[in-house]
Amino acid sequence: MPSTLRPTAPVAQTVERAAHRDPNVLRWLGGYTSSAIGDNVYYMALSWAAVQAGTPAQAGLVTAVSAVPRALLMLGGGVVADRYGPRRVVVGSTGVRCALVLAAASLLLVTSPGLWVLGAVAVLFGIVDAVFLPAAGALPARITGRGQLARVQGMRGLAVRLANVLGGPLGGIGVALGGTAGAFGLAALLIGASLPLLLTVRVGQLPHDDEKTRAAVFAELRDGLRHIRHDRVLFPLVLAIALGDLGFVGPMNLGLTLLAQERGWGSSGMGWVLAGFGVGAGAASFLLAWRGRVARAGRVMAVTSIAGAVTIGALARVPSVAGAAGVALLVGLLAGLSGALAGALVQARAGAAYVGRVTSVSTLVSFGVAPLTFPVVGWAVELWGTGPVFTACAAVCALSGAVTLASAPLRRAELPR
């Protein structure tokens, strides 16, 4: 497998340094965190504006429509990340995202845009996301040594948890102080604030960057898919990630809202359940950031996937808010650990020249396909209730662990030292 960093690259001096003490990684982490918080504020502002402009069903359609271009274009985004380098693509797409959200804020200042305009903003944001997300996922492999990939995934997970915690309140403050336009403006400010940090991040040069030839986009995409299909670890790993995301996203997003409604917990009860999940996921991320490596990564990923599936099924069977919050904490801990290990294994195994394309395939279901299943989840809950639907989704998640256990190369996979 080709080395991620050229020995003579500028970043090579810090390859052996622990990621949480590496200024280069910390600059990336600061930029990533600011951008992620801005994303959360943007989605809150978009949903608020959509609710003000239409019915709840129409608002749901506006907030979900950005998943369509992500699903259609994300594989091409992986090609772009590998062709031009993830740092360059992250910086460029972040600038476009900032400009797009700022334009929405300006539009809200001078007029009251209808749902069509808000939907257009969501679609454009989804198109840019289709390029941004694979590059953002591929960048960690270019800024640190291979032995630090698990720790970086843990740090990234902590950033995501922090963004989820702060995004909603900051969006609410933006709406309170400046209306919907103020919330969009705050989102643009936070996304834009990541640019100075990202511009200072140093990346290692691929061994063949200077002499590689660029084929057509579809040829490069086919090459990336062929690379995954022929790799004895990557193919089952990508399949396991897809199954896990497909079973997880529906019940832990729309499903939780419907569960709280069915149980009569109210918004405060749902908040406690989400808080439990956040604490568990944050603990898993902190564990990886602190330890830096987990032995027998493939086996641990399989076991935590199956155990996490059991807790997802149990979540709909718990009658009390306190019990559900405790189960959700276990869901977050187990799913967070298995997800972070899967991400680290993808980074370690993909190969430097393919990491963007492999990342785009491994995240396609989570960001592009799974959100489109929300109407199916809602329809199924109406027919059968939350218990059977959560159980069915948990069974899909359990298949992720079963695929890992059934593949000897993936089951025995280890993270780099």
Side-chain angles (χ1 to χ4, degrees):
M1 185 182 302
S3 172
T4 301
L5 298 177
R6 191 194 288 248
T8 58
V11 75
Q13 297 175 4
T14 60
V15 165
E16 300 300 327
R17 183 181 296 179
H20 62 287
R21 297 191 181 98
D22 187 342
N24 194 50
V25 174
L26 294 178
R27 288 193 297 270
W28 160 81
L29 183 65
Y32 181 83
T33 303
S34 179
S35 179
I37 296 173
D39 280 353
N40 277 268
V41 174
Y42 157 75
Y43 283 113
M44 185 271 180
L46 180 68
S47 62
W48 182 268
V51 167
Q52 303 303 308
T55 66
Q58 291 171 330
L61 183 61
V62 167
T63 55
V65 73
S66 61
V68 176
R70 284 201 299 264
L72 295 175
L73 302 174
M74 189 175 291
L75 296 182
V79 174
V80 173
D82 283 336
R83 173 177 286 199
Y84 298 105
R87 176 185 172 276
R88 184 183 301 174
V89 175
V90 165
V91 169
S93 56
T94 296
V96 175
R97 290 159 72 241
C98 176
L100 181 61
V101 179
L102 191 59
S106 303
L107 192 62
L108 283 162
L109 278 176
V110 299
T111 185
S112 298
L115 287 169
W116 284 106
V117 175
L118 294 173
V121 170
V123 168
L124 290 173
F125 199 87
I127 291 173
V128 182
D129 254 1
V131 178
F132 170 80
L133 290 171
L139 188 55
R142 299 289 297 275
I143 63 173
T144 189
R146 286 167 49 78
Q148 297 298 313
L149 291 176
R151 178 170 276 132
V152 169
Q153 290 298 320
M155 295 166 70
R156 186 182 181 189
L158 287 174
V160 171
R161 300 276 78 79
L162 180 64
N164 291 340
V165 169
L166 295 180
L170 285 175
I173 292 173
V175 170
L177 295 179
T180 311
F184 273 104
L186 178 60
L189 177 65
L190 287 165
I191 294 172
S194 68
L195 281 171
L197 289 168
L198 293 172
L199 285 168
T200 63
V201 172
R202 297 169 297 160
V203 295
Q205 187 178 15
L206 288 177
H208 56 291
D209 271 352
D210 295 330
E211 62 269 13
K212 70 179 179 181
T213 58
R214 291 174 178 171
V217 171
F218 285 107
E220 291 190 41
L221 177 56
R222 286 195 299 270
D223 183 40
L225 295 175
R226 192 182 306 113
H227 176 69
I228 294 172
R229 188 173 67 250
H230 291 164
D231 191 286
R232 298 175 64 202
V233 171
L234 278 180
F235 182 75
L237 176 58
V238 169
L239 178 59
I241 292 172
L243 288 169
D245 287 340
L246 197 61
F248 177 85
V249 172
M252 294 308 295
N253 286 273
L254 177 63
L256 273 183
T257 303
L258 298 175
L259 179 63
Q261 185 181 47
E262 183 179 282
R263 293 283 195 273
W265 293 341
S267 58
S268 61
M270 187 178 71
W272 281 109
V273 176
L274 287 172
F277 173 79
V279 169
S285 297
F286 178 79
L287 175 65
L288 275 180
W290 171 53
R291 286 188 57 87
R293 187 178 182 275
V294 174
R296 298 182 177 87
R299 288 184 176 86
V300 174
M301 187 186 79
V303 171
T304 52
S305 295
I306 294 172
V310 172
T311 57
I312 290 173
L315 190 58
R317 309 291 179 180
V318 181
S320 67
V321 172
V327 173
L329 187 149
L330 291 176
V331 173
L333 180 64
L334 294 166
L337 186 56
S338 63
L341 288 174
L345 285 171
V346 165
Q347 297 265 321
R349 186 75 185 188
Y354 291 94
V355 67
R357 280 164 286 182
V358 175
T359 300
S360 70
V361 174
S362 66
T363 58
L364 175 63
V365 171
S366 177
F367 289 104
V369 178
L372 301 178
T373 66
F374 289 172
V376 177
V377 171
W379 172 74
V381 168
E382 285 184 6
L383 286 179
W384 299 299
T386 54
V389 173
F390 270 67
T391 300
C393 291
V396 176
C397 288
L399 287 176
S400 171
V403 166
T404 304
L405 290 175
S407 169
L410 177 56
R411 186 176 66 247
R412 297 169 183 159
E414 294 281 3
L415 292 171
R417 293 185 180 275

